[in-house]
Every structure is written in structure tokens, then in C-alpha cells.
Amino acid sequence: MDDNIHAPTVPSGPTTGRSATRDLSKLSLTDLREEKERIEAELSALSSVLSSHGVDMNTPLTTFDGFPRDDIDVAQIRTTRARIIHLRNDHKDVMKWIEQRLHEHFANLQQARGTSAAADTTTISATPQPGVTGVTATSEARTVETPFAKVNSVVAGSPADQAGLKAGDTIRSFGGVNWMNHESLTKVAEVVQQNEGRPVVVKVVRKNDSGRTAELTLALVPRRNWGGRGMLGCHLVPL
């Protein structure tokens, strides 16, 4: 009998098929982002496979006396877990190259701008909104903090509405979540669940009536029983 049947079997060699045949060091930032999104989509699908069995990455696959459980497909679960481990490693590699590409892009931008860099930083005045701590826009922030989600709708009187969030805003950070680690917005949901009743700093990009782009920092407090569905009262869609 396998003494460690609940542990996934991880074969040696290349991990993800596409990543194994692609040299990440030669990919553009756009290609790396596509690879990141592909990996995250597969991770989400594999997570659903585990959930369909009622298990996660750490659920024991043996009975109390050490025999394989007969109420689940142990072989499929082990294979799925192994694939998830591979993809997580691939995801780390992709994120490493994305970070490097961002640094390179920023360095090239700074070099091209030269002494005019300071002139490219703009402060945009706007009517204060509830929960808004500042309104600024800089090309550096746009380079490093690319928006990853769009606010599709906001319910009146909801926590999102009270924080000053508006339909059409794009999210560039939600607590510690950004476009590099949001994992198809699953990390946003985790932040919401972990911060009920506590303010979460949300940085958004908004176009004003004149067409100029403003960057706002909002304080959003997730809470239940505000009179509507969910803890935010808004609908986010990934970009």
C-alpha cells in the first residue's frame, strides 16, 4: 500500500506544456501576460475539479486506518494536485519575467524622457468623494500598476457606493491585489472575505468629463447586511 497516498505524484522534467516549449526570456510583456492568464484559467479549472470531489490540496485521501478512500477518485485527485503544483511553479516563473519586463520598460521610459520626467507628472483636481484620500495621476504609476478589473455597476447606498466607486472605474489595486496576482479576481474575493468591517485601500482610474484620466485612492469597507447582495454592492469584471 502507498504509505503517502494523499501526496501528489510529481514527475520530473518540464512542467506546463506550453511553458516547456516557450523561452519565457524571449517573450514580450504582452505575451507574458497572456501566458499568466492561461495558467490562471487552468488553475481555476483544476481547482473546480478538486471542489467537485469535496477536497482541496491538503485533504487526506486515506481513511483513519490508512486505506484509500472509496468515496472519491483518488487517482484523479492525485493527478490534479500534481498538475496544480506544476502550474504554480510555472506561474512563479512567468511572474518573475513580468516583473523584469516592467522594470525594463520603466527604465526605457525614464531614459527616453530624460530631464523632462518631472514635467510628465500631473496632479488633477477633482470634487472630493466620500472615502477619497487623494487624486493624482503619474505615468510611472500607470506603468507599474496596470488596471486589471472594471467596475460594471454600483448599487446605490452600497459599501462600494459610499466609498466613492463608480461604474466605469478601472481597478489597479485592491488591497494587496494587482494585475500581476489577482488570479482572475479570486484574490479580490479573498481580500473582501478577510476584511469584513475593515477598510481596504482601493486604487482606481477614472475618466472625468473632460476626458482626462484621474487616479483615486478610496477606502472601501466590505460588510454584510447593508441592504443588498454581497459585501461590496458592485460588480467587477476582469480586463
Side-chain angles (χ1 to χ4, degrees), residues 148-149 171 173-175 177-178 181-195 200 222 232 236:
F148 65 89
I171 309 294
S173 68
F174 193 102
V177 179
N178 54 49
N181 63 7
H182 67 88
E183 296 183 12
S184 300
L185 303 187
T186 57
K187 292 299 182 182
V188 171
E190 291 180 10
V191 170
V192 171
Q193 293 296 325
Q194 294 167 3
N195 289 276
V200 177
L232 299 181
L236 303 181

Side-chain angles (χ1 to χ4, degrees), residues 1-9 49-50 52-57 59-63 66-83:
M1 184 186 301
D2 190 340
D3 293 331
N4 196 20
I5 194 170
H6 62 278
T9 301
V49 172
L50 294 184
S52 70
H53 289 279
V55 302
D56 55 26
M57 291 294 289
T59 304
L61 304 183
T62 56
T63 61
F67 288 93
R69 290 172 54 181
D70 58 8
D71 60 324
I72 54 178
D73 189 336
V74 173
Q76 182 184 19
I77 292 171
R78 295 184 70 196
T79 300
T80 301
R81 285 177 171 178
R83 180 64 173 166

Side-chain angles (χ1 to χ4, degrees), residues 3 30 35 51 57 61-62 77 86 96 99 105 108 157 159 168 178 184 205 235 239:
D3 293 331
T30 299
E35 185 73 3
S51 297
M57 291 294 289
L61 304 183
T62 56
I77 292 171
H86 283 162
K96 178 190 70 175
E99 183 177 3
H105 180 75
N108 291 336
N178 54 49
S184 300
V205 178
H235 180 227
L239 293 177

